[in-house]
Amino acid sequence: MNANPGGQRVTAHDVAKRAGVSQPTVSLVLSRNPNARVSPATRQRVLEAAEALGYRPNVLARALVRRRSFSLGLVVPDLRNPFFAEVVSGAERVAREAGYAVLLTELPDPADLRPLDALRQRQIDGVIMDAVGATAAPVDALADLNVVLVDEPSERWPGVASDAVGAGRLAAEHLLSLGHREIAFIGPALAVHTFRMRERGFAQALRGAGVALPSDRLRRAPATAAGGQAAMRALLAASPAGRARPTAVFCANDLVAIGALKACAAAGLRVPQDVSIVGCDDIEMARLVTPELTTVAVPARELGARAARMLIRRLDASADERARPAAPQRPVAVRLVVRGTTAAAPNAAAGTP
Amino acid sequence: MNANPGGQRVTAHDVAKRAGVSQPTVSLVLSRNPNARVSPATRQRVLEAAEALGYRPNVLARALVRRRSFSLGLVVPDLRNPFFAEVVSGAERVAREAGYAVLLTELPDPADLRPLDALRQRQIDGVIMDAVGATAAPVDALADLNVVLVDEPSERWPGVASDAVGAGRLAAEHLLSLGHREIAFIGPALAVHTFRMRERGFAQALRGAGVALPSDRLRRAPATAAGGQAAMRALLAASPAGRARPTAVFCANDLVAIGALKACAAAGLRVPQDVSIVGCDDIEMARLVTPELTTVAVPARELGARAARMLIRRLDASADERARPAAPQRPVAVRLVVRGTTAAAPNAAAGTP
DNA sequence: TTGTAAGCGTTATCAT
DNA sequence: ATGATAACGCTTACAA
């Protein structure tokens, strides 16, 4: 059983026979560098024979002898997160157009690194890893593998990242320019680098403008809609105590912001009249909620595309080039997208930047 | 250059040398069926040597000789569509746990089938294709390939599908039971089978209850939020003519429904008091809009998982088993999820089923 | 310019 | 029970 389930019948040998040449000649004309010179006549015959037989080279065999599989691993925690889906989509497109196959794997449990091993056994030329807290565990699971990290800086491996500090700053400047002074932040614990930087950029910009971000206005929550909802609820509940309710909130990503938006609606607060909300990422969903979410757009797809390009460039480079650390990349620019969830602070003259 | 970019140093040969056995013996003890008998002593030595050297078999070499790559193609039109992302996620998990690699490729242009060829050259054992209108073009691009289709019935290849007719029926019954009689439908052109069936189930159930679905209440629109928004706007604009405005709308998927929801908000209509909306799919977004979307849940992840299981089962089957058409699968069940966008019809006693 | 020979790292079929 | 030996389909010297 299992005789040839994959299909694939005709080999370079068959083509050679039909063209009346030797098998290596077929290889020479079909796959190799253009400087391998072969007489136009035989080249023609080989091409015709290949065409006639519908020959498709066996990439696995080629990989075996060339020790290069032209395939890339692509590792994300969870494809259902729209941000990761964008990254994957961008990376896949670049890889495909460069002739690389993409071996996709989710890494639901960052402690279980067997998926990485499976990729290595398949002789991937390199791997793109997104937000897997790569700083910690995988050090030896990734040993002697060409790695490019997305949104997770590392001394050991090159990577691409968005301008997370800038994202936080943009959000802060926007809210400040609308006259907000009572401002809160909702974001996850500091483990994930990108979130940490967004928070830092935001806090710095506030501080620079002389606006405080006291600890009771800094809520930690999982980077999900449910997390944002709960945090916003807590924020609103806590406020009556002494201080005024915040008039604006920056959320570490759009899902959190959308959760916060729901919490406001549930509490009978109007957005943006009573409270302004700014998200981050600009996932599709941001345009689908009502009011549409003001957010900082992070080009996730471009991030994935860049990661793939960087990895492929490194693979094409010589071994010693690859050995020395890559020049740090400029972070990918982000931009503020003003939509419907932000407005001038209540009881304050706007436009005082 | 390009010397060994993939890593991978130690081979079965190295293990054999260290264990003092022949290389095939290593293969025998490590990879093969348990009925291959080898003395406990040598087995032990081989295992130790492999462990010590950190040996990882080269799956490509294995694939070459076994003519079985243990890798699957996974083809979707667009990963950024959350429904497809779910399908991919489900399929990937099953494949991974069964020891298969997943070669993911987007097929942005259904007319350009080169990505399929790239997969075939990599000797995939089979391929899962989602909603690629597989009925038309790919017939020979998929020739002698093990194919499983998702949500696209075909006489030629087996597949998995959700109960699309049932989805439409559930939506209709829900609206009817709420007392709605002035009902509209928004969906894309009839090319995609699943959408066609949802529409059919919906229309049939209405007809069965003696409720008409006149052509001016059947709007065609792309299966996107923008499409739904435009269609809903048109629906509201057209209504004043003679007939009463519809009190309820069923949308072919959640994105369309969310667009419709936005159009209602823009028109100053309250949902669900003035108009009820039902979506289909139950993507995450459905719970994030306000009010939360009533919808028919389609287990997309389960769909992907089933497709992978079906494909793998076929691959494990004998060639002649595979030759005869697979028994048609029961469609995956769907279920109504009542949330906030549906309510009793205005000016009508509810609960008259 | 082209054919011959060797080998990539496995598995599979034999002997022994 | 284990070791030679021959594939698998291709690329890459090296001869001719």
Side-chain angles (χ1 to χ4, degrees), chain A residues 5-23:
Chain A
Q8 183 70 19
R9 213 120 322 198
V10 13
T11 76
H13 218 104
D14 303 326
V15 178
K17 208 166 359 176
R18 183 179 233 264
V21 299
S22 77
Q23 180 268 321

Side-chain angles (χ1 to χ4, degrees), chain A residues 70-289:
Chain A
F70 281 92
S71 63
L72 265 36
L74 190 41
V75 182
V76 294
D78 179 12
L79 249 194
R80 291 171 293 175
N81 181 321
F83 188 87
F84 296 141
E86 291 271 346
V87 171
V88 169
S89 176
E92 191 275 334
R93 188 182 62 78
V94 169
R96 170 162 37 85
E97 291 175 352
Y100 283 80
V102 168
L103 305 205
L104 174 74
T105 194
E106 284 186 340
L107 202 61
D109 173 9
D112 176 11
L113 298 175
R114 285 174 306 175
L116 291 181
D117 237 61
L119 291 181
R120 178 191 274 107
Q121 291 183 224
R122 298 195 123 88
Q123 312 300 116
I124 53 167
D125 293 335
V127 61
I128 297 171
M129 302 197 65
D130 193 347
V132 254
T135 41
V139 268
D140 57 301
L142 293 178
D144 61 47
L145 216 47
N146 289 300
V147 179
V148 166
L149 298 174
V150 176
D151 266 342
E152 191 83 46
S154 151
E155 298 184 351
R156 178 148 179 194
W157 294 292
V160 299
S162 56
D163 180 12
V165 170
R169 186 167 25 77
L170 283 177
E173 288 169 355
H174 175 56
L175 293 175
L176 290 168
S177 79
L178 287 169
H180 293 276
R181 292 298 177 272
E182 311 295 328
I183 300 180
F185 173 84
I186 303 177
L190 296 176
V192 179
H193 181 263
T194 303
F195 289 139
R196 189 162 62 241
M197 292 302 109
R198 288 177 184 178
E199 178 174 336
R200 177 176 301 176
F202 185 71
Q204 279 177 350
L206 288 193
R207 200 177 319 125
V211 172
L213 184 56
S215 64
D216 62 319
R217 290 210 171 139
L218 202 163
R219 315 295 303 202
R220 301 259 165 247
T224 63
Q229 193 166 6
M232 188 71 195
R233 201 158 34 215
L235 201 56
L236 295 175
S239 291
R243 207 191 312 270
R245 163 159 54 70
T247 64
V249 184
F250 174 49
C251 299
N253 74 7
D254 286 345
L255 288 174
V256 171
I258 289 169
L261 187 59
K262 285 183 68 93
C264 288
L269 287 174
R270 294 165 307 163
V271 175
Q273 295 88 339
D274 299 326
V275 44
S276 287
I277 296 179
V278 178
C280 195
D281 279 348
D282 196 21
I283 58 181
E284 183 189 15
M285 230 178 277
R287 279 187 317 276
L288 299 182
V289 292

Side-chain angles (χ1 to χ4, degrees), chain B residues 121-195:
Chain B
Q121 291 183 222
R122 298 195 123 88
Q123 313 299 117
I124 53 168
D125 293 335
V127 60
I128 297 172
M129 302 197 64
D130 193 347
V132 253
T135 41
V139 268
D140 57 303
L142 292 177
D144 61 47
L145 216 48
N146 289 299
V147 179
V148 166
L149 298 174
V150 176
D151 265 340
E152 191 83 47
S154 150
E155 298 184 351
R156 179 149 178 193
W157 293 293
V160 298
S162 56
D163 180 12
V165 170
R169 185 166 26 79
L170 283 177
E173 287 168 357
H174 175 55
L175 292 175
L176 289 169
S177 79
L178 287 169
H180 292 276
R181 292 298 177 270
E182 311 295 327
I183 299 179
F185 173 85
I186 303 178
L190 297 176
V192 178
H193 182 264
T194 303
F195 289 139

Side-chain angles (χ1 to χ4, degrees), chain A residues 57-80:
Chain A
N58 182 330
V59 177
L60 265 42
R62 170 183 306 171
L64 190 58
V65 50
R66 304 237 325 219
R67 285 179 161 113
R68 192 108 145 59
S69 66
F70 281 92
S71 63
L72 265 36
L74 190 41
V75 182
V76 294
D78 179 12
L79 249 194
R80 291 171 293 175

